[in-house]
Amino acid sequence: MKPGEGPDPERLFSIFIDLVRLDSESGNEGPVSGYIKGFCSRLGLKQVEDKAGEAAGGECGNLIVRVPCDALSLAPIIMNAHMDTVGPGTGVVVEDAGDRFASRGDTVLGADCKAGVAAILAAVEALREDGDAHRALELVFTVQEEIGLVGASHLDTSLLAGEWGVVLDGSGPVGGIVVEAPGQDQVKFTLRGRAAHAGVEPEKGVSAIACAAEAIAGLRLGRHDEGTTSNIGLISGGTAVNIVPELAVVEGEIRGLSASRLAEEGEAMLDVFRRAAEKCGCGLDAQLWRQFEHFKLDERSRPVMHLKRAMQSCGVEPYLTTSGGGSDANVLNLAGLQMAVMHIGLVDAHSKEEHILKADLVAVARVVAELARQCIDVEREARC
């Protein structure tokens, strides 16, 4: 490959289609893990699977693949993407719509994050087959990212020799480099009322669902300010239509770039549920816990500087941005690594309308290959 070039587009598309056809909703990443293992074995690459699957109750663990080089003895660059998808993600049928890939419409496409996986695999294959000088790489493919960064949270970072890298998992136009992302608190409110026959003696009952509804109606949800959001996403309760429901469970989240704002919104949400429970005569069990932490990178950090340079060499205009979503970068940065998130052109992720432009997929793979090639320059590394 010449500087700024990447793997053959048709080969890249073939890998991507192979991956999205494999079922891999969170906790069931076995088929994708098996594909990656076979792919990398054919390239002669060593692999390590950790115990995250056992710890989190999934089919398999995180997969670490080592891509050596003979150029220089610098620490490897970490390239990360997750293997799981959200649902509905079983039986994906890929449609080639000319300039893009989409699903038939019954499922998500799974480009989140199989576009990242495909770009990494295709770039590595091309580097190895062409014999290009490049930096050593550590490929980290995680499990159960979509349900709370579970795989990354169980990753033993002592297995990694790299100090910095790139997470290929950003929605938005290619060129975006996420340097800040929010922390997330999850909340769970369990309301306990009193059951009664809804038609014979409803007066003896205390509806936990009605209490939950009153509390939810009193919440401030959505965007609170530029860096803080909250949402109620799950509600369950009741046992039958003719029974006053004695139990209701409400679950949600709060995201924020500021720890103090997270605390404020969490306390405000808790206060609303306390007042509703007291008014309705319900018991309340409230739980709030930190799912992942906020991170912020300096624009002069190594992943940002190197990624910008690689993008420019590929004709991609880089721009720095803040994300409202979490990714494995939240966990890996907290663990002491420096990880920037690269936008990979995902459109309408987490929906049946999800799609990705072929040109964006090609651009991402080119940037990955160029990043590996450029980062063998010791003097350039020292300046960063």
Side-chain angles (χ1 to χ4, degrees):
M1 291 181 290
K2 297 179 181 179
E5 291 186 348
D8 175 71
E10 292 306 316
R11 175 58 176 153
L12 169 64
F13 299 157
S14 175
I15 295 169
F16 175 72
I17 291 171
D18 284 347
L19 287 166
V20 296
R21 284 175 173 167
L22 297 173
D23 297 343
S24 63
E25 291 185 10
S26 301
N28 298 287
E29 299 91 348
V32 171
S33 179
Y35 180 92
I36 295 172
K37 288 177 180 177
F39 187 102
C40 293
S41 292
R42 289 191 293 273
L43 297 177
L45 302 177
K46 294 182 179 179
Q47 309 152 38
V48 176
E49 182 176 334
D50 69 11
K51 303 296 184 182
E54 296 177 18
E59 285 184 347
C60 59
N62 302 308
L63 190 60
I64 301 170
V65 181
R66 309 191 193 285
V67 185
C69 74
D70 298 325
L72 294 168
S73 58
L74 295 171
I77 303 171
I78 300 168
M79 294 287 184
N80 164 252
H82 62 86
M83 296 184 283
D84 62 319
T85 71
V86 299
T90 300
V92 173
V93 177
V94 186
E95 288 194 352
D96 185 336
D99 66 336
R100 68 193 63 195
F101 291 112
S103 79
R104 184 174 57 189
D106 302 319
T107 66
V108 298
L109 174 62
D112 179 9
C113 185
K114 290 172 182 174
V117 176
I120 292 171
L121 293 180
V124 168
E125 181 183 65
L127 289 168
R128 300 284 287 181
E129 292 182 348
D130 291 357
D132 289 1
H134 64 85
R135 180 80 166 260
L137 303 172
E138 281 181 324
L139 316 181
V140 180
F141 300 108
T142 53
V143 295
Q144 302 185 47
E145 189 271 354
E146 294 287 10
I147 55 174
L149 317 182
V150 175
S153 297
H154 286 94
L155 177 67
D156 181 359
T157 55
S158 69
L159 296 172
L160 303 179
E163 300 170 348
W164 63 273
V166 178
V167 175
L168 281 78
D169 188 26
S171 296
V174 175
I177 303 173
V178 177
V179 294
E180 186 175 19
Q184 183 206 60
D185 284 349
Q186 291 197 9
V187 293
K188 182 177 181 179
F189 300 103
T190 302
L191 292 155
R192 300 185 186 279
R194 185 168 57 252
H197 194 296
V200 177
E201 45 189 8
E203 298 84 3
K204 292 184 177 180
V206 176
S207 173
I209 289 179
C211 184
E214 180 159 336
I216 293 169
L219 293 176
R220 296 187 307 143
L221 298 174
R223 186 171 301 282
H224 303 297
D225 54 49
E226 187 175 351
T228 315
T229 62
S230 64
N231 182 60
I232 295 297
L234 293 171
I235 305 172
S236 61
T239 56
V241 296
N242 64 342
I243 300 174
V244 176
E246 65 177 343
L247 182 70
V249 180
V250 179
E251 298 177 68
E253 66 158 29
I254 309 162
R255 298 188 185 220
L257 301 176
S258 161
S260 62
R261 290 290 293 118
L262 275 176
E264 288 172 8
E265 292 302 327
E267 185 58 38
M269 191 175 282
L270 179 58
D271 184 59
V272 169
F273 270 86
R274 282 172 175 160
R275 285 188 279 108
E278 182 177 355
K279 176 182 176 181
C280 297
C282 283
L284 173 65
D285 176 36
Q287 298 171 277
L288 184 149
W289 66 95
R290 181 66 43 85
Q291 188 68 28
F292 54 79
E293 298 286 352
H294 158 265
F295 81 86
K296 185 174 184 179
L297 288 177
D298 190 290
E299 64 181 54
R300 295 166 296 178
S301 64
R302 286 179 292 179
V304 176
M305 293 294 289
H306 284 309
L307 193 50
K308 286 173 65 177
R309 186 180 293 112
M311 287 179 173
Q312 290 165 341
S313 296
C314 295
V316 174
E317 186 61 35
Y319 62 96
L320 305 186
T321 185
T322 296
S323 173
S327 73
D328 286 340
N330 290 74
V331 176
L332 298 177
N333 277 293
L334 183 64
L337 303 171
Q338 287 188 326
M339 302 293 294
V341 181
M342 177 181 174
H343 280 186
I344 59 174
L346 304 174
V347 183
D348 293 333
H350 293 198
S351 77
K352 295 178 183 178
E353 288 72 43
E354 179 189 10
H355 62 275
I356 188 168
L357 295 175
K358 292 180 179 179
D360 285 344
L361 189 54
V362 170
V364 171
R366 289 173 59 200
V367 170
V368 171
E370 186 64 17
L371 179 64
R373 282 192 296 251
Q374 285 194 2
C375 286
I376 61 172
D377 187 329
V378 176
E379 292 183 359
R380 182 179 293 160
E381 173 74 10
R383 289 199 299 271
C384 292

